[in-house]
Amino acid sequence: MIDHLPLAWPLAKRDILARYRGSAGGLAWALLAPLAMVAVYALVFQGVFRARWTGSATNAGGLDYALRLFAGLIVFTAVADVAARATRLMQDNANLVKRVVFPLELLAVALVMQVAVHTGLQMAVLAMLLVVIGEGPAWTWLWLLAAWPWIIALQLALAIGLAALGCYLRDLQHIVPLVTSGLLFLSPVFYSTAAAPEPLRVLLQLNPLSAPIELVRAAWFGDAFAWGPALWPLAGVLLALLAAHALFVRLRPGFADLV
């Protein structure tokens, strides 16, 4: 499959252009949608409930909370978007699956590339906002070089595994969005793991999204990050990627008949 990786970007580019074809805003919607969500969340959690980010040393108040929320939301939406779209990945590319001979895993790689474009744009906006308020750049931003491959590995594991299962279990396209909606509140997006009560903290430790979200937020805002305990969820993601690929290879012979 490695020899065919250059084919993944044309597939990703095709879908990005198709997604925004005919739209006046174009790629700007990739920025406007999450920013609008952050504005609403910040208004509710900070403006109504007077939420403050535990452990934050800045005096930016509601803006600090909104930006920390945005940092977590970027990671969560990147993974949730891949998971939701992966359940119909083979069906949405039925012509390629049936008529073209190539490693079908490239469709999952192309999906991750599509989402990476949006994620990169959102991170650029966050970086500019932090510079504007005087909170960056900081040397801890280099931690993003470790966080992004981690996130991509998680996305690939979900994309490959759910794409394979989605051919056989069509209900997944309805189940996965429901699961990710609930998982949003069981991930450290609106709050830090340290601020969570003990019973919830146990669930956060089992959530594969928790460590990458905390690492990304620590990178942007210079917070402390426990690297030692993070090795276990990282190892779990790598094992999940290997298991997802093995499942994909096992189920692949039936794709053409099911899409």
Side-chain angles (χ1 to χ4, degrees):
M1 186 184 75
I2 295 178
D3 295 337
H4 295 84
L5 274 178
L7 298 175
W9 172 243
L11 292 171
K13 183 179 178 181
R14 177 204 64 179
D15 291 337
I16 291 172
L17 294 177
R19 184 173 183 178
Y20 295 103
R21 185 175 293 122
S23 170
L27 273 175
W29 288 112
L31 305 177
L32 294 175
L35 284 173
M37 291 176 64
V38 169
V40 172
Y41 289 147
L43 176 64
V44 172
F45 285 90
Q46 197 280 326
V48 178
F49 296 111
R50 303 296 178 185
R52 291 292 186 273
W53 198 269
T54 302
S56 174
T58 181
N59 294 320
L63 181 58
D64 175 68
Y65 185 91
L67 293 180
R68 288 174 180 270
L69 172 59
F70 188 26
L73 197 62
I74 289 173
V75 179
F76 183 88
T77 53
V79 176
D81 191 17
V82 167
R85 295 167 62 187
T87 57
R88 286 194 49 84
L89 188 60
M90 296 300 134
Q91 295 92 314
D92 291 340
N93 294 276
N95 288 335
L96 292 176
V97 173
K98 290 184 175 182
R99 300 177 183 178
V100 182
V101 179
F102 74 108
L104 295 179
E105 296 93 331
L106 289 183
L107 294 174
V109 176
L111 173 59
V112 172
M113 284 181 173
Q114 293 175 52
V115 176
V117 170
H118 297 84
T119 304
L121 290 172
Q122 293 164 15
M123 285 189 171
V125 169
L126 177 57
M128 288 187 291
L129 290 173
L130 288 173
V131 170
V132 167
I133 67 172
E135 294 295 324
W139 70 267
T140 53
W141 288 14
L142 294 174
W143 292 355
L144 295 172
L145 299 177
W148 201 327
W150 186 342
I151 296 166
I152 288 175
L154 178 57
Q155 289 174 311
L156 280 173
L158 289 170
I160 293 173
L162 290 174
L165 290 174
C167 285
Y168 293 84
L169 303 173
R170 299 299 178 94
D171 288 342
L172 279 178
Q173 62 185 294
H174 306 293
I175 295 172
V176 169
L178 291 175
V179 171
T180 54
S181 296
L183 195 61
L184 175 61
F185 297 96
L186 293 177
S187 302
V189 174
F190 302 105
Y191 50 84
S192 65
T193 302
E198 191 61 34
L200 179 57
R201 202 173 301 173
V202 174
L203 294 177
L204 290 174
Q205 291 173 350
L206 297 175
N207 184 350
L209 276 167
S210 294
I213 289 175
E214 292 283 17
L215 175 55
V216 166
R217 188 177 287 123
W220 285 119
F221 297 94
D223 299 335
F225 181 76
W227 290 94
L231 295 178
W232 290 107
L234 176 58
V237 167
L238 296 177
L239 289 175
L241 179 57
L242 293 175
H245 185 261
L247 177 66
F248 190 94
V249 171
R250 175 69 179 85
L251 299 180
R252 181 168 48 197
F255 291 172
D257 296 326
L258 292 171
V259 297

